[in-house]
Each structure stands twice: as C-alpha cells, then as structure tokens.
Amino acid sequence: MTQNNNLLQIRKDSLNHARMPMQRLNAASKKLSQLSMGILFGMTILTIPAQADSAATEEYRGSAAAVDTSAPIAALSKLTSLNDAKPLTVTVPTIQQFKTESGVPVRFVQTTTLPIVDVDLRFNAGSARDSSIQKDGFGIASMTATMLTQGSKSLDENKFTQAVETLGINLDSSAYKDMFIVSLRSLSDDKHLLPAIDLMTQMLSEPAFDDDILARNKARLLVGLQQQKQDPNSLASIAFDQALYGEHPYAHPSAGTLESVPNIGKQQLIDFKNRYLVAANASLAMTGNLTLAQAKKLAEDITTKLPIGQMATELPEPKSLSQAKHIHIPFPSTQTTVLMGQLGSKRATNTKDQQQQTNFAVGNEVMAGGDFNARLMTEIRQNLGYTYGISGSMNPMLAKGPYQIGFSTRNDKARAAIDASLEVINDTLDEGITSSEMQLTTDGLKNSFPMGFASNAGINGLLGMMNFYQLQDNYLTNYVNRIDQVKLSEVNQTMRDTLKPDDFLIVTVGQDDPWKDKKSKK
C-alpha cells in the first residue's frame, strides 16, 4: 500500500508498495495500468504551516475604519491564527499482537466508532517470484490474484460475485513486486462478517481457476498490454525497470509481457498458490469493531485452512549501475516523458537505518517533493516553465527499490529540462539545503502524520506494511522523535551519500532523441 519519507513511504507502501505495478483484471474487466511512484498512504502533499510576524498581526487587528472598502479584495499574506497554535500532540493507535495456532503473526487495532472490520492478509509472494514457478513466467502472481476472486470449487464465478455483492463487502486480491495482498472490508456484525470470512477462506483454499475464465483473462490482458504501447509513461517505466534491474526479479512488469502471458496455464496458478499462499509466508492485520477475543477467533477462522508451507527465500540484492545510461524510446507525441534515477534503498528495519532514511526523506522533500516549495518544482516549473510538475521519491522494498524523478516536457525542451534538473540536484548536493527549508519540511511531516490514522483503512494499511516488513511497534511511536532528531548536517551528508546524479539512468519517451546532436541530425 523512501523509507522514502518514513511517513511519506508508509503512505505509499500501505497502499501499494511495489513500484509502478500493473493492476490486475477483475470480473468486471479492470483496466490495466501501472502504479506510479509515490508517497506512502497515498497522500503526497504536505501541509506546511504558514508563519506570521507581530507587525502583520497588528495590521490584521486594526480598526475597520482603516479599511479601504473600495479597494479590490486581496489574499492575506500571513495566517495570523497560527500564532496561538499549540504544539502538536500525537497519540498513535494501540496495537495488539498475537499469533495464530499455525504461526501467522497478527496485529490488531480496536476501533469502535464505526461497525466495520478491515482485514489485510499479506504473503511474501509478489511478481518477483514468478520465475520460481516457471522460467520467464512473468505474470503468474498477478493472474493468480485476478482469479482468486473469480469463483471457488463451491461457487462458480457468477454465484461468488453475487454473494460478495449481496453482503455488500469489499473482497479483493492483488500482486505487486514483492507482496501478495488479500483484503476484506465488511460490517462487523456476525450476519455479514461470518459469511464474508467464509468467502475469503474459500478463495484462498479452493479457488476454481476455471480454464475458460483463464483464457478470457489472458485475452483481455493481452489487449491491455498492446494498449500499453500507446502510453509513454508505461513505456518509460518498463524500460527503466529493465535497465535498472537487469536479471533481477524486479526487472519484469508484474502483469507480465506479450510473450509470457500466453504461456500461463492453470497448473502454474495452482503451483504458485500451493508454494506461496501458506501460513509460514503470511502476516495478518485487522482493524475495526472487535474485541481482542473476537479478533483472535477471526484470525483463526481466516488462517485455519492455509497449509503451513515454508517461508519464501530471501530475494537477491540488485547491483547498482556502474555508470550513467541514457535510453530513448521513439514515440509520436509533442511531449517527451522523462524518468531519471538510480538504485535506492531497501526497507529499513533497525533504528539507525530508519533515522538515515528519515534524514534522506527530509532532504529529498526539499529538493524533489511534490509541492511548490520543492527546488525542482520551483526551478523547472515556475522559473523555466519546462513542465507542469516534477517530483522524485524513494521506494524501498524487500530488496533495494528505485529512486526516481519524473516529468514531461515539450520535445524541443527535453534536453534543456534534463540538464536543468541535474543542475538543481547537483547544486543541492554541493550546497545543501537550508535550515529554514528543513524546518518547513519537518513541520509539515509531523503535522500530516496523524492523517494516517484518520480511517480504519489507513490504520490497517499501516499495520499490514509493518507486519510484512517485520517492523517494531515503535516504528510509529518513534516517528515524530525521528523527525525531531533530524540535523541539518546529517540530512545534507545523507543526500550526498545516497544520490549519484553523474551515474543516473535516464529514460526518455518522445518524438526526438534528446541525446542526439542537433547539427549532426540535420
């Protein structure tokens, strides 16, 4: 669903955690696409508190007689109400932990405001495991996720779908780069929750994997993959992954390829389920209107039919590129899509590395964040007018994830925009960010942090992410402390140690190749 941006990452990972994965087709024929990078709960815009001085306060409190009523209305330059703002106090949800009889770790948060229960069952079983089932079997995990919700041995596709709709529940499964998620949202009363859990266990223990439905899914997916060739963002993302990861399992698209999808058969789906959708490879998160005793009973009901199995093997670490690499993909468009970046970091699981990733998150938000205070946005968009938007982020996973900066610009401005972006990055690394920039960013991170607990789904996404990466509960409780411990010198040094713009991989998709000399081309 960075430690890119510790919290910024939490947001992104709790919803989607693999970088730009392909969304799967469901019974209603979902449209295929890739998730783009981004930041943790799905919220990438920080709330930055404005500041006011005493002079502005006195002007604001001036008498009404001093106001020129004939003058045009103007926006306030200072938000004086923040002068009286009290320090932020954050109370994170109380997390209760236990294990099922089969050994599945469970994290549970009780919320009684709404009569709803959210369930998040994750397996270490994303598309990175495809080739372990069949050589170059790209798309097996994604197709397995698609077909879990398309009928069981007891209920065909239509009856299964009708049961889900009658209960009014959300029941879904998705495969990403390094994780496989089965999720459920239901009303918490037994009349709805118990049959919902029964459907969830049916799809996990006895999926139909009907041959006719598989053939239909493959046909639709192939059409989607063909259409993908008309999407410059997808073309850039696929090329970036392939060039950055080479032979690593993260290199191929989660949905598969035009060459691999026709070779997916029912037996590969069965083998994937039997190998990876097992108790030893699972973690469970639950949030909602349940007592602890009810949560324990529910966890047993969900996992009791899972085979014990074995934990998935550790993924290999990818190797960084040794030098800069430029790739251009011709595409008939007035715009050039640009992706630049490098190999990044893996999910930090100890205090020291988490602090380092927080340091990087702060520095990167100043340089490449999605808001209009970021240096890249200010220079490339506002000052030079090369693009409507530019941003970059880290996406850590089980193995090292990518660091990416992306934007689109006019074909004739592509090389200039790339050069200007690299100049901003190098200037930031050479000169560092300022204390005032750091203060604005840390304030924004702390103030936006409680938004992660604004809904059951938000809380459960956090629990699922923490469970999957085996993070301690203090990962949340210490978040504000990690922000407060950020030091300017350490932020700047971490940025220099992490980013190597001279060795960036740069992928462009557009009409003209930005790397060709204009004179020789003419």
Side-chain angles (χ1 to χ4, degrees):
M1 146 28 49
T2 307
Q3 160 134 331
N4 180 13
N5 299 0
N6 260 334
L7 176 64
L8 293 178
Q9 282 178 357
I10 299 177
R11 297 172 179 160
K12 182 183 278 182
D13 294 327
S14 66
L15 293 176
N16 117 32
H17 216 264
R19 189 174 61 83
M20 298 187 177
M22 304 296 300
Q23 296 180 346
R24 62 181 195 77
L25 300 170
N26 63 8
S29 181
K30 293 182 181 176
K31 183 179 180 181
L32 183 69
S33 66
Q34 286 195 327
L35 297 174
S36 44
M37 321 168 294
I39 310 178
L40 295 137
F41 302 162
M43 296 175 287
T44 57
I45 304 301
L46 298 176
T47 303
I48 307 298
Q51 306 205 352
D53 55 28
S54 57
T57 302
E58 291 303 319
E59 291 176 4
Y60 177 75
R61 294 174 179 172
S63 65
V67 177
D68 183 359
T69 56
S70 64
I73 298 175
L76 292 175
S77 60
K78 303 292 183 181
L79 189 58
T80 58
S81 61
L82 289 182
N83 288 344
D84 299 325
K86 296 179 180 180
L88 179 68
T89 301
V90 178
T91 301
V92 301
T94 300
I95 302 174
Q96 302 181 75
Q97 296 191 58
F98 56 91
K99 285 189 176 182
T100 66
E101 291 185 2
S102 58
V104 177
V106 184
R107 297 199 188 194
F108 166 62
V109 169
Q110 182 183 32
T111 59
T112 58
T113 304
L114 296 172
I116 291 175
V117 172
D118 283 283
V119 177
D120 182 301
L121 181 61
R122 302 196 183 200
F123 300 92
N124 184 345
S127 60
R129 310 292 178 176
D130 285 345
S131 291
S132 68
I133 302 299
Q134 176 177 295
K135 181 176 173 56
D136 298 333
F138 310 139
I140 291 176
S142 180
M143 185 62 71
T144 303
T146 296
M147 295 199 67
L148 284 186
T149 60
Q150 293 180 320
S152 66
K153 292 181 179 178
S154 303
L155 299 172
D156 64 22
E157 182 183 25
N158 291 333
K159 290 181 179 179
F160 192 93
T161 301
Q162 183 179 15
V164 169
E165 293 178 349
T166 299
L167 290 170
I169 62 175
N170 293 331
L171 181 58
D172 203 4
S173 56
S174 304
Y176 302 101
K177 290 285 190 186
D178 57 3
M179 67 173 65
F180 190 108
I181 304 177
V182 178
S183 60
L184 168 69
R185 163 167 277 203
S186 170
L187 293 174
S188 58
D189 62 279
D190 288 350
K191 181 180 179 181
H192 291 83
L193 184 57
L194 296 183
I197 295 300
D198 179 62
L199 289 175
M200 184 176 181
T201 57
Q202 279 191 45
M203 64 185 272
L204 284 167
S205 61
E206 49 181 34
F209 291 148
D210 182 87
D211 288 318
D212 292 337
I213 297 176
L214 174 59
R216 182 190 70 197
N217 288 342
K218 289 164 62 174
R220 288 179 175 177
L221 181 54
L222 289 171
V223 171
L225 292 174
Q226 286 285 1
Q227 292 175 340
Q228 196 178 58
K229 292 183 177 182
Q230 305 304 314
D231 178 11
N233 292 310
S234 295
L235 293 175
S237 177
I238 292 171
F240 189 95
D241 280 355
Q242 291 174 342
L244 184 66
Y245 285 105
E247 298 300 319
H248 191 272
Y250 286 169
H252 69 268
S254 294
T257 66
L258 288 170
E259 294 75 27
S260 67
V261 168
N263 298 322
I264 297 176
K266 178 177 180 177
Q267 189 58 49
Q268 283 80 48
L269 307 185
I270 294 173
D271 292 344
F272 185 91
K273 181 193 80 69
N274 292 340
R275 171 64 184 89
Y276 292 110
L277 305 190
V278 296
N281 206 36
S283 60
L284 180 63
M286 295 187 295
T287 301
N289 187 29
L290 299 170
T291 65
L292 179 59
Q294 289 174 322
K296 290 182 176 180
K297 174 65 167 58
L298 193 65
E300 292 295 341
D301 291 342
I302 293 171
T303 60
T304 187
K305 292 185 178 181
L306 290 178
I308 298 299
Q310 295 181 344
M311 184 180 297
T313 57
E314 187 174 352
L315 290 172
E317 284 298 340
K319 296 181 180 180
S320 301
L321 297 178
S322 58
Q323 61 184 11
K325 188 173 185 178
H326 302 156
I327 298 174
H328 179 72
I329 301 174
F331 188 82
S333 172
T334 58
Q335 294 274 314
T336 295
T337 298
V338 180
L339 275 182
M340 61 172 67
Q342 63 175 64
L343 197 63
S345 59
K346 61 192 299 183
R347 173 66 61 178
T349 57
N350 62 69
T351 302
K352 179 182 178 182
D353 290 343
Q354 287 171 358
Q355 185 62 53
Q356 284 290 97
Q357 291 188 337
T358 301
N359 295 341
F360 179 83
V362 171
N364 184 70
E365 191 63 23
V366 172
M367 182 187 76
D371 63 31
F372 291 99
N373 291 318
R375 291 186 175 188
L376 279 174
M377 188 75 85
T378 299
E379 180 65 14
I380 309 304
R381 182 189 190 278
Q382 180 175 323
N383 295 343
L384 297 176
Y386 287 151
T387 184
Y388 284 111
I390 178 172
S391 63
S393 63
M394 186 80 77
N395 185 25
M397 294 186 280
L398 284 176
K400 291 181 179 179
Y403 175 81
Q404 279 188 332
I405 294 173
F407 64 93
S408 294
T409 188
R410 274 171 40 187
N411 288 333
D412 60 330
K413 299 297 183 183
R415 183 60 185 270
I418 292 170
D419 291 342
S421 300
L422 292 173
E423 184 176 356
V424 171
I425 297 169
N426 280 307
D427 287 347
T428 301
L429 300 182
D430 292 341
E431 302 171 7
I433 68 171
T434 66
S435 58
S436 60
E437 288 175 317
M438 188 184 79
Q439 187 64 51
L440 282 172
T441 300
T442 54
D443 285 347
L445 288 172
K446 288 190 292 185
N447 290 336
S448 61
F449 178 54
M451 295 297 293
F453 315 132
S455 67
N456 283 12
I459 295 172
N460 213 51
L462 280 173
L463 296 183
M465 182 275 297
M466 292 170 62
N467 240 359
F468 184 81
Y469 291 109
Q470 301 179 23
L471 303 178
Q472 299 298 317
D473 285 349
N474 62 12
Y475 179 80
L476 287 184
T477 57
N478 290 344
Y479 175 75
V480 174
N481 291 336
R482 290 196 295 273
I483 295 295
D484 288 335
Q485 291 171 11
V486 165
K487 297 179 181 178
L488 184 62
S489 59
E490 294 177 357
V491 168
N492 288 325
Q493 188 59 50
T494 301
M495 292 285 286
R496 297 185 189 106
D497 292 341
T498 303
L499 297 181
K500 307 298 179 186
D502 290 343
D503 295 332
F504 268 8
L505 166 65
I506 304 177
V507 176
T508 55
V509 180
Q511 185 74 44
D512 303 316
D513 186 348
W515 310 110
K516 285 187 177 180
D517 178 55
K518 297 294 184 181
K519 293 182 180 179
S520 62
K521 182 179 179 181
K522 184 177 180 181

